[in-house]
Amino acid sequence: MALLKLKDRAMEAYAVARNAANFSLLDSDLHGVFGENWESLNFSEAGELLGRGGLTGEEVLIVCVETADEINLDPVDAYVRAAKRLDMNVVLIARDISPTALHHLLKLGADDFAPYPLPPNALSNIFDGLRSKQMRRTEAPARKKHRNGLILPVYGAAGGVGGSTFAVNLAWEMAVHTRKKDLKVALIDLDFQFGSVATLLDLPRRDAVFELLTDPDTLDGETLSQSMTSFKSNLAVLSSPPEIMPLDIVDAKFMQKLLELLRQKYDFVVIDLPKALTDWTADVLNVAETYFTLLELDMRSAQNVMRYLRVLRAEDLPGEKIQYILNRAPGFTDLSGKTRIGRFSDSLGIEVNILLPEGGKAVTASGDQGVPLADSSPKNALRKEIKKIATTLVDMALEARAAVN
Ligand SMILES: Nc1ncnc2c1ncn2[C@@H]1O[C@H](COP(=O)(O)OP(=O)(O)O)[C@@H](O)[C@H]1O
Ligand SMILES: [Mg+2]
């Protein structure tokens, strides 16, 4: 069961250039230092990578600038700033640019620069220098930990299929499972209109969330922390605002920034999504590790999934990240159930790997009390299944991390 799709080879460096052909001699220099573990990006690819938070902060950003870039240094500016925010090393490769432009970029925080074409050994000397600087830094008092968390959105294909119930209980089971480990879990309600996370966990809807959404430019680590509460001080929660707000009150840029901040602060970020598609749906899908989609064995779910997949295909979005969950699935005593599930998934051309059982009245009662199933009815069949998924996810993520380090 592919719950988590693991990342492939670890990139150590990215070389960004408006036109890589003008810096073609750089290839062999980079190969000498990084072997296969570097990649060349044009401006829009670099913007996309930084935007979707595809970097851990361990990589080096090599920014190539030439005369033509001086007319508009803004994109270069933006990459240097974004990379420094992640605490990355930034090296400029300058081809015939003015001392003024070079000075400007170094002031923004670039760590070093070299002229193009490169003098022999220039690049490896620069990296030796940066590495020893880095070592001195890591010996210094520990900096704030950058967690590089996994984004786990939950989408309900139709109203009432159990999206919020799954998101809340999944997040809580993950928080319980990681209690004694140095791992942090967050639950984020992105349904600014009818989000029910606050109700399901009996948490206040905070004015700070309203302020954050109405004044999106103020979003930073500080304002985000102020907007969040916690459930039993173990699970960080961003609930929906006290007043109903339009879903497009924030744009894709806000969402990218929010997700990046969350990834930095938490190891696991479970997101309860609204049913409606928004300007920022694609951004959530793009940074997601796995995108849980709940459905039921009925025509309503089937038709919605079909229409949904059509949108993903038209927009060229990564549909392969979707992990389908069949809620209120027929149990093993239901002999025709298996056949029906098979027919259902075949007709949609999807794979359903996770089945959740009917949990009875206890499930709604638990939500009404404002507590997770773990607290109200720990032996409930639905609870047991969600707990299994939560522990599998945490354990697989830890294994994947151990393999990378
Ligand atoms: N597996 C289940 N067994 C019993 N009740 C469930 C189950 N899944 C969801 N429910 C109930 O169905 C209702 C709708 O669930 P909810 O999570 O709010 O759906 P959504 O967020 O997708 O609209 C709630 O009352 C919830 O308690
Ligand atoms: Mg819901």
Side-chain angles (χ1 to χ4, degrees):
M1 186 163 85
L3 265 180
L4 289 168
K5 288 160 188 138
L6 302 186
K7 303 250 154 62
D8 42 24
R9 92 192 133 120
M11 281 297 164
E12 290 171 39
Y14 292 93
V16 186
R18 188 191 299 275
N19 183 0
N22 293 342
F23 295 88
S24 57
L25 295 171
L26 198 58
D27 288 14
S28 65
D29 292 294
L30 288 170
H31 195 267
V33 179
F34 299 107
E36 299 295 323
N37 296 338
W38 67 278
E39 201 170 88
S40 158
L41 303 173
N42 63 31
F43 278 6
S44 67
E45 290 166 331
E48 206 259 333
L49 181 74
L50 285 161
R52 82 179 129 93
L55 295 168
T56 63
E58 309 280 346
E59 306 91 332
V60 178
L61 192 71
I62 295 151
V63 184
C64 302
V65 269
E66 55 180 314
T67 325
D69 294 313
E70 283 197 51
I71 304 162
N72 179 12
L73 273 176
D74 288 352
V76 177
D77 263 10
Y79 300 141
V80 175
R81 278 179 214 271
K84 291 319 288 179
R85 267 202 298 275
L86 288 172
D87 222 351
M88 293 171 74
N89 282 322
V90 177
V91 175
L92 299 170
I93 306 295
R95 180 174 177 161
D96 300 324
I97 69 163
S98 71
T100 317
L102 191 58
H103 174 76
H104 169 76
L105 293 171
L106 286 168
K107 278 205 95 161
L108 283 182
D111 297 281
D112 211 339
F113 76 98
Y116 181 90
L118 293 157
N121 295 327
L123 210 53
S124 51
N125 287 341
I126 287 179
F127 289 115
D128 287 345
L130 289 177
R131 227 165 274 142
S132 49
K133 200 167 97 188
Q134 190 90 37
M135 268 158 67
R136 264 175 291 162
R137 253 204 315 185
T138 38
E139 283 157 15
R143 288 175 301 135
K144 222 173 192 167
K145 193 168 169 185
H146 189 89
R147 289 177 180 265
N148 195 20
L150 300 183
I151 305 280
L152 302 168
V154 177
Y155 180 73
V161 291
S164 298
T165 303
F166 179 73
V168 164
N169 285 285
L170 179 73
W172 179 243
E173 298 294 347
M174 289 179 103
V176 171
H177 188 61
T178 54
R179 200 175 342 229
K180 295 212 172 65
K181 303 186 178 86
D182 174 29
L183 291 170
K184 291 177 153 189
V185 185
L187 172 63
I188 311 297
D189 195 341
L190 289 187
D191 187 344
F192 311 134
Q193 301 197 323
F194 299 104
S196 51
V197 165
T199 310
L200 294 174
L201 292 177
D202 192 21
L203 293 170
R205 293 175 196 266
R206 309 190 67 178
D207 287 329
V209 180
F210 176 85
E211 280 150 28
L212 189 67
L213 296 176
T214 41
D215 200 359
D217 288 341
T218 60
L219 172 64
D220 60 22
E222 190 72 24
T223 52
L224 179 60
S225 300
Q226 283 161 8
S227 307
M228 295 181 75
T229 38
S230 78
F231 182 73
K232 293 194 175 178
S233 69
N234 237 318
L235 172 65
V237 180
L238 182 72
S239 53
S240 49
E243 308 293 337
I244 290 180
M245 302 189 89
L247 294 171
D248 60 6
I249 187 141
V250 298
D251 59 6
K253 229 173 96 199
F254 174 93
M255 198 47 74
Q256 288 167 5
K257 191 167 167 195
L258 175 67
L259 294 169
E260 178 52 33
L261 287 170
L262 290 167
R263 287 181 76 238
Q264 287 175 17
K265 278 181 81 163
Y266 301 99
D267 299 279
F268 301 98
V269 181
V270 177
I271 299 178
D272 190 8
L273 286 172
K275 304 283 178 232
L277 296 180
T278 61
D279 289 344
W280 40 265
T281 304
D283 301 279
V284 179
L285 185 57
N286 279 328
V287 294
E289 184 69 21
T290 286
Y291 191 93
F292 294 108
T293 296
L294 275 89
L295 35 87
E296 283 183 45
L297 203 48
D298 60 18
M299 193 53 89
R300 214 165 54 102
S301 287
Q303 291 205 335
N304 286 356
V305 165
M306 216 142 57
R307 294 158 70 189
Y308 190 62
L309 287 176
R310 221 177 290 142
V311 174
L312 297 192
R313 254 176 251 127
E315 308 257 327
D316 208 16
L317 289 167
E320 68 280 0
K321 285 188 182 174
I322 301 180
Q323 181 80 255
Y324 292 95
I325 302 184
L326 186 64
N327 193 12
R328 299 186 164 104
F332 59 91
T333 49
D334 179 348
L335 294 179
S336 70
K338 225 180 144 181
T339 328
R340 278 192 290 142
I341 296 170
R343 238 185 266 135
F344 182 79
S345 42
D346 287 351
S347 69
L348 288 172
I350 63 170
E351 223 179 289
V352 177
N353 289 322
I354 302 177
L355 306 183
L356 294 178
E358 167 64 50
K361 288 201 185 81
V363 179
T364 308
S366 180
D368 287 347
Q369 282 171 49
V371 292
L373 283 167
D375 293 10
S376 66
S377 45
K379 295 213 164 60
N380 184 281
L382 178 63
R383 188 258 163 158
K384 285 191 194 158
E385 233 14 72
I386 297 179
K387 184 180 178 198
K388 252 192 261 170
I389 296 166
T391 51
T392 309
L393 273 170
V394 171
D395 295 347
M396 284 178 80
L398 289 179
E399 267 172 46
R401 271 192 199 175
V404 170
N405 292 328

